[in-house]
């Protein structure tokens, strides 16, 4: 009984092992990209985070250095912070970010919320958060 394996059989076994390794590597990279995307979107405070994370994962890859994850933006590869910033600025996706919506919805004022006559702490905080320059001016102008 011979224990030797033919060259063809060895070549087939090697190709199968290589293909299996490539599949496992792609699956591992997909998990890494997915986790990176979910982490970035969660930290950004976006609503519809699953939708945005799906979007990011679909265009992400593990970088050539094997450590970082990068995302495709119209043919250029960027880091996740740049990608999330682009999402915030995009007309199509900015609606998912509360701070972007707040900037597009200016505070409507009838009275100065810093004055004694129309004191309103809620409006003051909203102004300080959304338009600090206007808040400072109104505070100076108050009684």
């Amino acid at each position: 009984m011979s224990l030797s394996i033919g060259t063809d059989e060895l070549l087939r076994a090697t190709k199968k092992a290589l293909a299996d390794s490539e599949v496992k590597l792609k699956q591992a990279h997909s998990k890494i990209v997915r986790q990176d995307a979910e982490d970035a979107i969660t930290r950004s405070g976006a609503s519809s985070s699953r939708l945005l994370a799906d979007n990011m994962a679909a265009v992400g890859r593990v970088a050539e250095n094997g450590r970082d994850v990068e995302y495709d933006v119209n043919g250029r590869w960027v880091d996740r912070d740049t990608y999330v910033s682009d999402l915030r600025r995009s007309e199509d996706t900015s609606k998912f970010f509360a701070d972007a919506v707040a900037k597009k919805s200016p505070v409507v004022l009838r009275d100065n919320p810093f004055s004694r006559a129309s004191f309103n702490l809620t409006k003051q905080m909203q102004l300080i958060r959304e338009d600090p320059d206007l808040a400072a001016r109104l505070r100076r102008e108050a009684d």
Side-chain angles (χ1 to χ4, degrees):
M1 175 180 220
S2 172
L3 293 177
S4 66
I5 300 177
T7 306
D8 291 340
E9 291 176 49
L10 183 58
L11 184 59
R12 264 193 305 277
T14 302
K15 285 181 180 179
K16 182 177 179 343
L18 182 59
D20 290 346
S21 294
E22 287 176 356
V23 167
K24 288 179 182 177
L25 182 61
K26 284 181 183 178
Q27 289 172 341
H29 280 195
S30 291
K31 285 181 182 178
I32 290 168
V33 170
R34 179 70 194 183
Q35 184 60 46
D36 187 73
E38 287 177 359
D39 181 51
I41 293 299
T42 300
R43 286 190 302 128
S44 74
S47 61
S48 301
S49 57
R50 169 144 337 275
L51 177 68
L52 291 174
D54 289 347
N55 176 323
M56 283 184 75
V59 297
R61 72 174 183 190
V62 173
E64 290 179 10
N65 66 15
R67 291 185 315 270
D68 301 322
V69 177
E70 55 191 10
Y71 299 91
D72 182 12
V73 177
N74 300 322
R76 70 182 169 96
W77 293 97
V78 299
D79 63 30
R80 73 175 175 186
D81 293 334
T82 302
Y83 189 82
V84 170
S85 292
D86 286 353
L87 289 176
R88 284 180 185 280
R89 286 191 302 271
S90 168
E91 215 168 290
D92 295 331
T93 54
S94 65
K95 62 186 169 218
F96 296 113
F97 297 91
D99 57 344
V101 172
K103 288 178 183 170
K104 291 181 180 179
S105 306
V107 179
V108 177
L109 295 175
R110 295 176 196 206
D111 299 308
N112 184 340
F114 294 95
S115 71
R116 287 187 191 141
S118 57
F119 186 85
N120 185 328
L121 190 57
T122 302
K123 283 287 186 193
Q124 289 177 18
M125 293 297 102
Q126 184 181 7
L127 274 168
I128 290 168
R129 185 177 53 253
E130 296 174 14
D131 194 346
D133 295 333
L134 177 59
R137 183 176 61 80
L138 290 173
R139 186 179 294 155
R140 284 190 306 270
E141 293 174 359
D143 306 327

